[in-house]
Amino acid sequence: IFYRNGVSGSWLYIPGKLKQVSISGDGNHLWSVNSNDDTFYRNGVSGNFQHIPGKLKWVSVNHNGEYVWGVGQGNELYYRYGLEGSWTLSTGSLKQISVSGDNGEYIWGVDDDNRVYYFMSSPIVDEPNEDDFSSI
């Protein structure tokens, strides 16, 4: 695992092995997945990795760590309200997901046929249903 502070910074090594990471825009919330689909959270560069229950193959966090989305081993979708929340099963099936926006209101994903989908919510208040995701 490597970390770099900005464009002009140097790459720094952080011990551990991960297959996928997502960092909040403020740099304080790192969510990650290892090769066993174990999920981890780390409070920025100076924090320590904390195991989060649940098996995911992909995870994504919004700009301030308040909203997190994940993809399970069978492409099922989950979301949670930050570190203190718990995983909630959503509808739909994607192999990759990315959340952005100040309130986690923009969710993009890719399905098994490599089609791109997006969902807009402001913020995540209700569980989205499959019809809320639009194909591009």
Side-chain angles (χ1 to χ4, degrees), residues 9 12 15 34 66 78 87-88 123:
L12 303 172
N34 69 10
E66 188 175 1
Y78 295 91
W87 295 115
T88 300

Side-chain angles (χ1 to χ4, degrees), residues 87-108:
W87 295 115
T88 300
L89 180 64
S90 183
T91 57
S93 176
L94 297 170
K95 67 180 182 179
Q96 184 180 8
I97 198 163
S98 183
V99 60
S100 66
D102 288 345
N103 293 318
E105 68 265 28
Y106 303 104
I107 299 112
W108 290 77

Side-chain angles (χ1 to χ4, degrees), residues 80-135:
R80 67 185 292 149
Y81 298 100
L83 181 61
E84 300 305 318
S86 60
W87 295 115
T88 300
L89 180 64
S90 183
T91 57
S93 176
L94 297 170
K95 67 180 182 179
Q96 184 180 8
I97 198 163
S98 183
V99 60
S100 66
D102 288 345
N103 293 318
E105 68 265 28
Y106 303 104
I107 299 112
W108 290 77
V110 178
D111 71 6
D112 274 338
D113 294 322
N114 296 318
R115 291 178 296 214
V116 177
Y117 291 84
Y118 71 93
F119 170 72
M120 292 189 304
S121 173
S122 185
I124 302 168
V125 196
D126 299 315
E127 176 183 335
N129 69 51
E130 202 161 356
D131 295 333
D132 291 333
F133 285 88
S134 301
S135 178

Side-chain angles (χ1 to χ4, degrees), residues 38-59:
D38 296 318
T39 307
F40 295 90
Y41 169 82
R42 182 179 174 130
N43 189 3
V45 175
S46 60
N48 295 310
F49 284 105
Q50 174 183 347
H51 180 259
I52 304 298
K55 294 280 192 177
L56 297 175
K57 63 180 184 178
W58 197 273
V59 67

